[in-house]
Amino acid sequence: MRQGAGGFEVILTGPFFGEPITGCFEADAALRLIEEWKSVLSQHSLSGDAAIDLPRFGRELGRTVLAPDAREALSWFALRSIEQGEAFALRLNIADVVANTLPWELLSLDGNGCDLGCLALAPNVSVLRAIGDDGPAGPPPDVLRVLIAYANPATARFPFLAHADEEVLQLSEFLGREKHRVEFERLPNAGPVTLSRALRRFQPDVVHFVGHAARGAAGGELALQGGRQEELVGTAELAGWLLAAGVQCVYLSACDTAGGGRGFA
């Protein structure tokens, strides 16, 4: 997806689609969706439950950003993958900062007489988000370097996470079975200084973070450890560390880290 004259152009391509399917939607529609998404987030913050709005918003998102023939094609392939038990991956190449603030992971499809609901939750379907122009992919590394960083401030705002150690242990055991192609390090009690230092030194390909996060006025914030209190690191600072280290993939196992007007993605 990329910005065009007065709006955004959406191009659906793939080995099974034949000719690319092209559609467009106006910039005003994107801004309206962004404001509506912020409203959903605000309602969730106040009431703790926005589930009733998510299906409706997902359907509106799909109908706005995808042309009818694109929705029909995606619906057909998604249904086919479910019926035949085959994997189906939808890769989103988003070459615009404004459009990237939309929660594309909530995209819902209705077509071929069937409402699939949230596409990312459909069996055998994966939705992958790529940001920026889709340039040529470089060769995969001979050995994948993974940094597992975890922070558990155990403060009033960010209480102790009982599952964190177990998640890190299970991930470490899994990666340990791939010693011939994976090298990993653990960073416990991650704070701003130790995390930025580990990124510079280890230069991982993948970062897996386990801990707390929050949405602030300026965007998402990770809750790292800093003495007796948590230390919050914003998205801009975190992105600078990750880009400088050449990180290719980040997995945030923390609340409030999904895409959106004030999220991380």
Side-chain angles (χ1 to χ4, degrees):
M1 200 201 74
R2 61 194 180 194
Q3 188 169 14
F8 299 95
E9 185 179 34
V10 180
I11 305 174
L12 182 64
T13 62
F16 304 107
F17 292 121
E19 292 295 322
I21 301 174
T22 302
C24 62
F25 63 99
E26 296 181 353
D28 287 346
L31 295 176
R32 176 180 52 79
L33 285 171
I34 291 170
E35 290 303 314
E36 186 173 347
W37 176 235
K38 288 181 180 179
S39 176
V40 171
L41 292 177
S42 177
Q43 292 176 30
H44 175 65
S45 299
L46 293 174
S47 67
D49 182 15
I52 192 171
D53 287 324
L54 296 183
R56 176 190 57 78
F57 181 85
R59 288 191 295 270
E60 184 177 357
L61 177 64
R63 293 168 183 169
T64 301
V65 303
L66 295 176
D69 50 351
R71 291 201 308 273
E72 291 287 340
L74 281 178
S75 296
W76 188 87
F77 279 104
L79 287 170
R80 179 176 178 270
S81 74
I82 294 171
E83 293 170 354
Q84 300 187 8
E86 298 177 349
F88 173 58
L90 175 64
R91 186 183 182 200
L92 303 169
N93 295 313
I94 304 172
D96 183 84
V97 175
V98 174
N100 182 51
T101 62
L102 288 170
W104 294 89
E105 292 76 12
L106 295 178
L107 187 73
S108 296
L109 296 175
D110 50 355
N112 291 323
C114 178
D115 186 350
L116 286 173
C118 181
L119 187 62
L121 297 180
N124 306 316
V125 177
S126 299
V127 178
L128 311 173
R129 181 193 291 235
I131 302 171
D133 293 323
D134 187 23
D142 294 329
V143 177
L144 189 70
R145 301 163 70 88
V146 181
L147 176 65
I148 307 170
Y150 48 110
N152 212 344
T155 62
R157 184 181 178 188
F158 300 106
F160 180 77
L161 293 172
H163 75 276
D165 290 339
E166 181 63 24
E167 181 175 341
V168 171
L169 177 62
Q170 291 183 5
L171 183 58
S172 300
E173 290 178 349
F174 173 78
L175 295 176
R177 295 195 292 268
E178 304 290 335
K179 292 181 179 179
H180 62 292
R181 57 181 182 178
V182 176
E183 177 183 356
F184 73 94
E185 284 191 7
R186 291 188 294 264
L187 179 65
N189 307 316
V193 174
T194 56
L195 178 57
S196 61
R197 184 183 299 158
L199 289 170
R200 291 195 303 269
R201 175 185 54 79
F202 188 51
Q203 295 190 330
D205 303 295
V206 178
V207 173
H208 184 110
F209 175 79
V210 182
H212 285 284
R215 280 192 294 267
E221 298 171 324
L222 286 188
L224 302 181
Q225 291 183 224
R228 297 184 178 180
Q229 294 294 325
E230 69 272 0
E231 288 196 31
L232 300 178
V233 174
T235 52
E237 186 174 10
L238 178 63
W241 297 347
L242 297 171
L243 290 171
V247 175
Q248 299 298 308
C249 177
V250 180
Y251 185 90
L252 300 176
S253 180
C255 293
D256 293 325
T257 54
R262 292 182 296 167
F264 274 81

